Amino acid sequence: MSENKYPVGIRGFGKLRSEGYFYVDKTAQIYKMINAGSHYFLHRPRRFGKSLLVSMLEAFFLGKKELFEGLAIETLEKEWTVRPVLHLDLSVQKYDTQDSLENQLNGTLAEWEKRYGTETVEKSLPIRFAGIIEQACLKEGQRVVILVDGYDKPVLDAMGNETLCESFRNMLEAFYCVTKNADEHIEFTLLVGTSRMGDSGAFSGLDNMIDISMQTEYADICGISEQELRDNFTSEINKLATAREITPAEAYAELRKHYGGYHFGHDALEVYNPFSLFNALKSKAFGNYRLITDASAYLTELLKKSSYDLDEILNIGVPESVLMGIHASSDNPVSVFYQTGYLTIRDYDPSLKLCTLGFPDCEVEQGFMNFLLSFHTRFNKTEAAFEIQKCVHEVRMGQPNAFFHRLQSFFAGTPHGLACASELHCRNMLFVVFRLMSFSIEVEYHSSKECIDLILQTDSYIYIMKFMPEGTAEEVVAQMNEEKHALSFATNQRRVFKIGVNFNNKIRNIERWIVE
């Protein structure tokens, strides 16, 4: 394969094809979807190519055959019927006032009314939408195609403002339900977004839609599968391997470690994030390209009122149904973590029908942990990452007291108003800190309701730690000696630090530690 123009940030299918950007052919899969049903819904994390999918469907239904030259659908489709397309893009604007959504819908409806000759009068948004669908069908002599990009963005933007959120939810539910009632005039409908709003939101009335988000056959309709990576990018991966002075096999492994591992369904194949993958191939480096900027107000507000245990979320089974919807009344962040792409399905127990969750890749894990650290402390994301590197340096240099003084500074900046109890907050903070440190040093982490046991290993030092919310630091060390925590390292040549730590729930911080 020759040098490619990678479609990083390209939303328009016409631009992608006409200007020679690389495209992994998904059109056979999309042709199958078009011919298997009429009304669809799909959610995927940000930076997964949803807007490009919508743009491609628009080009197809507008009969732009020239854009599909050389793709599978060019020969699969025989008629290339031109249909009226109503494309509503809600993904690019910020919705933070009552008028913002109404103005966006009004503007789009006015444009469609002008195009299809519908008279604009004092009517509600849904009635105007229904009239446009009917008029477009009559004028063009073909049923209408409706494509909505970012169907859920207004509601997610408004999370944290209950009044505005409820207003947006009601407005969108009434608007989208028009597609159900106008079915005789509609050929095809697709709504895409980053979440499925659940039975209490804008999705509730659309029971005519097929949700393909977790269907195995559509797992890679957005994103790049392992097979597609190997079929289409061999020469580029060889160049990446040469640039990094590793073997092609090692390059594949690093790409999977950094950008692969998404599972949209318990039996679905693995999918790579295309934005990060293309950036890595283009720059020939394994960087963190997808910044965690999509931690919306909804996620931030949800974390404030949630009593969530990060370690538990990654180790307990979750019914697949829990992952399917975001409910406005719920304070459980699991479905949000999954649908926004911070967590994915790592394993499945068919006998219990439970999914085990995990981070899809290193890029997401590191970015999300940095976000959580800045959320729980006084440090911003840049400062938090710098503080973690200082922690790693102190551990590597055999400076346990300096390390614990720094750890105290993390707890000292805990924001007020968090719902989680002190002990749970302690566990989550330590989980995040040591998860971030694990990218640089070896960390073994074990958590329970009573204590947290940690082992850190560097080339020169071993740190054996026990954190307990009850009792003194002396009592913690005595328990460690009684349980012979250091016995397995008795013959190790490295210096062993045994550290008992007391966490005081009243001051929400480490009170004292003893190093032996």
Side-chain angles (χ1 to χ4, degrees):
M1 186 172 73
S2 59
E3 285 287 343
N4 288 304
K5 292 174 66 176
Y6 292 104
V8 176
I10 302 299
R11 294 164 55 94
F13 186 72
K15 178 177 181 178
L16 180 145
R17 294 292 289 168
S18 62
E19 296 186 11
Y21 286 92
F22 189 73
Y23 176 67
V24 175
D25 190 359
K26 305 280 187 178
T27 60
Q29 192 176 27
I30 291 164
Y31 179 81
K32 178 183 177 181
M33 177 183 70
I34 292 170
N35 287 276
S38 297
H39 306 288
Y40 291 96
F41 167 79
L42 172 71
H43 71 73
R44 285 292 182 267
R46 289 182 72 249
R47 302 292 193 178
F48 248 87
K50 299 183 298 296
S51 295
L52 186 60
L53 170 64
V54 169
S55 178
M56 189 276 292
L57 285 165
E58 182 177 21
F60 173 78
F61 283 113
L62 289 176
K64 297 182 178 180
K65 186 177 180 179
E66 70 279 4
L67 295 178
F68 297 88
E69 184 178 349
L71 302 179
I73 205 169
E74 181 187 21
T75 56
L76 290 171
E77 177 59 34
K78 306 302 180 185
E79 298 179 358
W80 291 94
T81 303
V82 177
R83 300 186 183 279
V85 176
L86 302 178
H87 179 182
L88 173 62
D89 190 353
L90 298 177
S91 67
V92 294
Q93 183 175 318
K94 181 70 175 176
Y95 302 93
D96 53 6
T97 66
Q98 181 64 43
D99 293 337
S100 56
L101 176 57
E102 188 169 352
N103 289 341
Q104 175 71 17
L105 295 176
N106 261 320
T108 303
L109 290 175
E111 179 186 329
W112 292 342
E113 286 165 339
K114 183 178 179 180
R115 184 189 307 170
Y116 296 110
T118 308
E119 189 175 342
T120 303
V121 295
E122 291 297 325
K123 294 183 287 189
S124 69
L125 295 173
I127 291 176
R128 289 171 63 191
F129 188 27
I132 290 167
I133 294 171
E134 182 176 0
Q135 180 62 21
C137 182
L138 292 174
K139 182 178 180 179
E140 302 297 329
Q142 296 289 342
R143 287 194 292 268
V144 176
V145 172
I146 298 172
L147 305 171
V148 182
D149 190 359
Y151 93 102
D152 54 342
K153 190 175 187 298
V155 176
L156 295 178
D157 280 355
M159 288 295 182
N161 182 336
E162 293 185 12
T163 301
L164 187 60
C165 184
E166 185 67 19
S167 174
F168 284 173
R169 190 181 294 113
N170 292 335
M171 189 184 302
L172 288 174
E173 181 171 8
F175 193 83
Y176 295 145
C177 280
V178 170
T179 64
K180 178 180 179 180
N181 300 327
D183 182 65
E184 63 179 309
H185 302 299
I186 297 174
E187 176 70 18
F188 183 87
T189 304
L190 175 66
L191 273 62
V192 302
T194 58
S195 68
R196 187 185 191 277
M197 294 307 299
D199 57 15
S200 62
F203 197 81
S204 60
L206 300 178
D207 53 4
N208 63 320
M209 287 201 167
I210 302 171
D211 185 356
I212 61 172
S213 304
M214 298 182 74
Q215 290 189 11
T216 302
E217 60 186 319
Y218 298 113
D220 60 340
I221 196 168
C222 292
I224 306 296
S225 70
E226 181 74 29
Q227 192 61 52
E228 288 170 334
L229 180 66
R230 293 181 180 274
D231 289 345
N232 293 280
F233 299 94
T234 300
S235 64
E236 295 302 310
I237 289 174
N238 288 339
K239 294 174 186 176
L240 171 64
T242 300
R244 307 317 306 169
E245 298 182 341
I246 57 178
T247 68
E250 289 171 332
Y252 276 112
E254 285 297 310
L255 286 172
R256 184 175 182 273
K257 175 183 175 182
H258 282 82
Y259 316 116
Y262 286 90
H263 290 86
F264 301 112
H266 69 262
D267 57 350
L269 48 74
E270 285 190 342
V271 180
Y272 287 75
N273 178 287
F275 177 82
S276 299
L277 176 64
F278 290 158
N279 268 297
L281 294 177
K282 181 179 180 179
S283 62
K284 297 180 177 60
F286 304 108
N288 288 347
Y289 301 104
R290 190 170 78 95
L291 299 177
I292 305 300
T293 57
D294 51 341
S296 65
Y298 178 33
L299 178 57
T300 303
E301 291 300 319
L302 184 60
L303 290 176
K304 286 181 181 178
K305 66 179 183 179
S306 299
S307 297
Y308 66 98
D309 186 327
L310 283 169
D311 187 40
E312 187 175 273
I313 288 173
L314 296 175
N315 287 286
I316 64 170
V318 179
E320 199 167 45
S321 60
V322 171
L323 308 178
M324 289 295 289
I326 295 176
H327 304 274
S329 60
S330 174
D331 61 359
N332 186 343
V334 173
S335 61
V336 184
F337 289 165
Y338 172 76
Q339 292 188 25
T340 49
Y342 300 135
L343 296 178
T344 193
I345 298 172
R346 305 300 291 177
D347 199 6
Y348 181 72
D349 187 331
S351 62
L352 299 176
K353 297 183 179 179
L354 296 176
C355 302
T356 301
L357 303 180
F359 297 104
D361 52 51
C362 289
E363 180 187 47
V364 170
E365 180 179 357
Q366 194 165 7
F368 188 43
M369 289 294 105
N370 275 319
F371 162 73
L372 288 177
L373 189 60
S374 64
F375 172 78
H376 280 286
T377 68
R378 59 186 171 87
F379 301 113
N380 62 37
K381 293 178 187 178
T382 302
E383 292 169 337
F386 187 56
E387 290 296 316
I388 289 296
Q389 289 308 309
K390 287 182 178 178
C391 287
V392 170
H393 174 74
E394 287 158 356
V395 168
R396 284 177 172 167
M397 296 301 293
Q399 300 171 351
N401 289 317
F403 167 70
F404 273 93
H405 281 299
R406 191 171 305 283
L407 202 55
Q408 278 183 320
S409 72
F410 283 116
F411 285 101
T414 301
H416 294 288
L418 296 182
C420 57
S422 296
E423 292 180 30
L424 181 55
H425 172 68
C426 173
R427 289 205 300 275
N428 283 338
M429 277 283 289
L430 292 173
F431 178 87
V432 170
V433 168
F434 288 105
R435 195 87 183 200
L436 284 168
M437 291 180 68
S438 71
F439 287 96
S440 303
I441 59 175
E442 184 178 344
V443 177
E444 186 177 337
Y445 179 99
H446 299 285
S447 174
S448 70
K449 299 296 183 183
E450 293 76 27
C451 66
I452 296 173
D453 293 310
L454 278 155
I455 299 176
L456 276 61
Q457 297 191 55
T458 71
D459 291 340
S460 303
Y461 303 99
I462 298 172
Y463 297 77
I464 304 172
M465 311 178 193
K466 180 183 282 289
F467 292 77
M468 293 185 67
E470 302 292 340
T472 65
E474 288 83 0
E475 290 171 337
V476 179
V477 170
Q479 183 175 333
M480 293 177 71
N481 289 330
E482 182 180 341
E483 295 172 352
K484 297 181 172 30
H485 278 235
L487 184 61
S488 59
F489 298 101
T491 60
N492 198 290
Q493 297 301 307
R494 290 173 290 179
R495 181 176 178 181
V496 178
F497 293 107
K498 188 166 52 180
I499 308 170
V501 188
N502 163 239
F503 183 87
N504 188 314
N505 286 324
K506 291 181 180 180
I507 63 173
R508 295 169 68 93
N509 205 329
I510 294 170
E511 183 174 34
R512 190 160 177 267
W513 65 90
I514 294 176
V515 181
E516 286 191 352

